[in-house]
Amino acid sequence: TQLLEQSPQFLSIQEGENLTVYCNSSSVFSSLQWYRQEPGEGPVLLVTVVTGGEVKKLKRLTFQFGDARKDSSLHITAAQTGDTGLYLCAGPFQGAQKLVFGQGTRLTINP
Amino acid sequence: DTAVSQTPKYLVTQMGNDKSIKCEQNLGHDTMYWYKQDSKKFLKIMFSYNNKELIINETVPNRFSPKSPDKAHLNLHINSLELGDSAVYFCASRPGTTYNSPLHFGNGTRLTVT
């Protein structure tokens, strides 16, 4: 059983479409982080959400932290081929010394 | 360039061998980690060191031994390699262990055991 469940695990859409991916837990997190990983590279931090209900925008990417701080979503508007990658959510666990990850959403944007 | 760098990038070896992966960060961070990413892309924490002291040791076989000679380096030595050890191993560092402190990852070492 994973602490953080991401859905969908795979998503393939056409350039220009909108999409939303989810990160859910039965536990409350003090914060959640979103990372993007490209092939052959390590994950890179996109954003950290801290307050329940918080919305953060990064160009065409919109991140939301659930009111109860148990879930988060990432919405991409007008997806581009450069958005292709593995999107991972992560949250602090056991006194924040550990960051635990969801299993990721593999996103493919087709031209 | 400020970064987390790990070597080698690729490591192909036979079962039973012993190998090491090196990691260095020049970000001035106190905390360093080893994560294992399996074929399904799941990232699982293995170890964490804070200022050369081991603070997290997950249920990892004792064939895996981390070593931190100073707070900028965290190496991983693996004895008696097994087929199931094949994975991508990521080193990461963090400026602290507060709840919103992000991880900075290296580019990974792809280990293939044949």
Side-chain angles (χ1 to χ4, degrees), chain A residues 2 30-31 33 35 37 40-45 48 50 86 88 92 94-104 106, chain B residues 9 31 33 35 37 39-43 45 48 55-56 58 90 94 97-108:
Chain A
Q2 288 184 199
S30 52
S31 66
Q33 299 174 2
Y35 293 78
Q37 183 179 10
E41 298 182 9
V44 175
L45 179 74
T48 302
V50 174
L86 176 69
L88 296 156
Q94 287 185 355
Q97 289 183 344
K98 272 197 220 181
L99 269 180
V100 292
F101 283 81
Q103 75 275 45
R106 286 197 235 189
Chain B
K9 175 86 174 159
T31 309
Y33 297 79
Y35 278 83
Q37 188 171 48
S39 58
K40 294 184 179 178
K41 303 296 186 185
F42 181 55
L43 265 171
I45 190 169
S48 174
I55 56 171
I56 294 173
E58 288 294 279
F90 284 98
R94 225 172 149 198
T97 53
T98 57
Y99 65 97
N100 58 351
S101 175
L103 284 166
H104 297 252
F105 284 89
N107 282 335

Side-chain angles (χ1 to χ4, degrees), chain B residues 31-54:
Chain B
T31 309
M32 295 184 73
Y33 297 79
W34 280 108
Y35 278 83
K36 178 180 180 181
Q37 188 171 48
D38 61 24
S39 58
K40 294 184 179 178
K41 303 296 186 185
F42 181 55
L43 265 171
K44 190 169 184 327
I45 190 169
M46 299 174 71
F47 301 103
S48 174
Y49 272 73
N50 183 273
N51 224 347
K52 301 194 297 175
E53 183 184 340
L54 180 67

Side-chain angles (χ1 to χ4, degrees), chain B residues 76-87:
Chain B
L76 184 65
H77 188 75
I78 316 170
N79 288 328
S80 303
L81 278 154
E82 300 178 358
L83 292 176
D85 297 332
S86 295

